[in-house]
């Protein structure tokens, strides 16, 4: 009889590597969902917004209507000045 053993537990050498991977996956899933279905998926939108805010980027980057040119006003105005 052979005994079934599991392999060594997978642990990341750097805990922040897993969080970066998780953030990246959330954004990839949102991108794929929006490519194939124009409807917003509430959970993906909320998770994507949390990722964007957590890394300090402006939420306007998630706007599908945002032009992809470097001269767009959302990127030019980031970070927001204290007068906003």
């Amino acid at each position: 009889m052979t005994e079934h053993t599991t392999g060594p537990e997978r642990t990341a050498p750097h805990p922040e590597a897993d969080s970066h991977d998780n953030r990246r996956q959330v954004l990839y899933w949102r991108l794929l969902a929006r490519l194939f279905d124009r409807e917003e998926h509430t959970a993906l939108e909320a998770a994507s917004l949390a990722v964007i805010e957590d890394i300090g980027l402006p939420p306007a980057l998630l706007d599908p209507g945002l032009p992809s040119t470097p001269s767009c006003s959302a990127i030019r105005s980031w970070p927001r000045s204290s007068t906003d």
Side-chain angles (χ1 to χ4, degrees):
M1 207 159 149
T2 30
E3 192 174 314
H4 181 68
T5 59
T6 60
E9 279 189 41
R10 181 178 171 244
T11 57
H14 302 287
E16 67 270 0
D18 279 341
S19 75
H20 292 307
D21 289 343
N22 291 344
R23 289 175 180 160
R24 188 177 303 116
Q25 287 297 317
V26 164
L27 296 175
Y28 286 157
W29 278 110
R30 179 187 179 269
L31 174 64
L32 286 171
R34 293 300 291 242
L35 281 173
F36 295 107
D37 185 7
R38 290 301 210 194
E39 295 295 318
E40 287 188 3
H41 300 274
T42 308
L44 287 173
E45 295 296 325
S48 297
L49 182 60
V51 167
I52 292 295
E53 288 177 341
D54 190 41
I55 60 178
L57 295 173
L61 290 175
L62 294 176
D63 182 2
L66 186 70
S68 60
T69 61
S71 63
C72 78
S73 62
I75 294 173
R76 269 194 320 231
S77 65
W78 183 79
R80 296 205 181 270
S81 65
S82 60
T83 59
D84 288 347

